[in-house]
């Protein structure tokens, strides 16, 4: 059983920044990647960024590219999402996720169905 716990959410004004953390426990080192998603009720979960644990390669959703940065500290089983220049449309519940199988680089990493383990989420609210 893998456990993922997010933290770092909060309320900020447009243009502000937040840094999210996700701590993994259990046997998460068997996963070759971790990703950040966000969810707005009534909409599909939206993949934001992925980092591959072995070589730290990253991929991003176009709408957050240049604003969000994913990173990791494998010694602490932790992945981060630095979010800058936040906009009201970034308001959502943010989740970290780990796949049940290794994901090939460049594949459909943003497909939530590829992920077996999810945190409980941390809320991000951006006011205008």
């Amino acid at each position: 059983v893998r456990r993922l716990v997010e933290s770092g959410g909060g309320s900020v004004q447009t243009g502000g920044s937040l840094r999210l953390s996700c701590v993994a426990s259990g046997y998460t080192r068997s996963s070759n990647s971790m990703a950040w998603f966000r969810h707005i009720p009534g909409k599909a979960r939206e993949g934001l960024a992925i980092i591959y644990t072995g070589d730290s390669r990253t991929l991003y959703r176009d709408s957050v590219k240049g604003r969000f940065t994913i990173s990791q500290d494998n010694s602490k089983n932790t992945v981060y999402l630095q979010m800058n220049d936040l906009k009201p449309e970034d308001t959502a519940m943010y989740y970290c996720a780990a796949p049940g199988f290794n994901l090939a680089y460049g594949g459909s990493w943003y497909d939530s169905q590829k992920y077996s383990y999810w945190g409980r989420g941390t809320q991000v609210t951006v006011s205008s």
Side-chain angles (χ1 to χ4, degrees):
V1 177
R2 297 178 181 180
R3 304 178 190 89
L4 306 175
V5 181
E6 305 95 337
S7 63
S11 298
V12 298
Q13 293 185 327
T14 298
S17 297
L18 287 171
R19 185 178 185 242
L20 307 183
S21 299
C22 174
V23 179
S25 61
Y27 296 94
T28 55
R29 56 185 167 273
S30 63
S31 298
N32 78 331
S33 58
M34 294 184 68
W36 284 98
F37 285 74
R38 65 187 178 191
H39 181 244
I40 299 171
K43 299 182 179 180
R45 291 191 180 191
E46 184 177 74
L48 303 174
I50 186 171
I51 186 164
Y52 291 82
T53 56
D55 58 13
S56 293
R57 288 181 295 175
T58 60
L59 294 166
Y60 294 91
R61 182 181 182 87
D62 285 345
S63 64
V64 305
K65 192 175 300 181
R67 297 192 297 126
F68 292 9
T69 302
I70 189 170
S71 61
Q72 65 187 356
D73 183 343
N74 287 336
S75 70
K76 298 194 294 185
N77 292 323
T78 300
V79 64
Y80 305 95
L81 187 68
Q82 177 67 46
M83 305 187 296
N84 298 325
D85 192 25
L86 285 163
K87 307 176 185 299
E89 52 263 43
D90 294 319
T91 296
M93 185 72 74
Y94 283 68
Y95 299 89
C96 62
F101 299 94
N102 287 346
L103 299 181
Y105 182 79
S108 299
W109 61 270
Y110 45 80
D111 181 358
S112 64
Q113 294 186 354
K114 296 184 181 296
Y115 297 83
S116 297
Y117 307 100
W118 297 83
R120 63 189 296 173
T122 185
Q123 179 68 39
V124 171
T125 302
V126 185
S127 61
S128 59

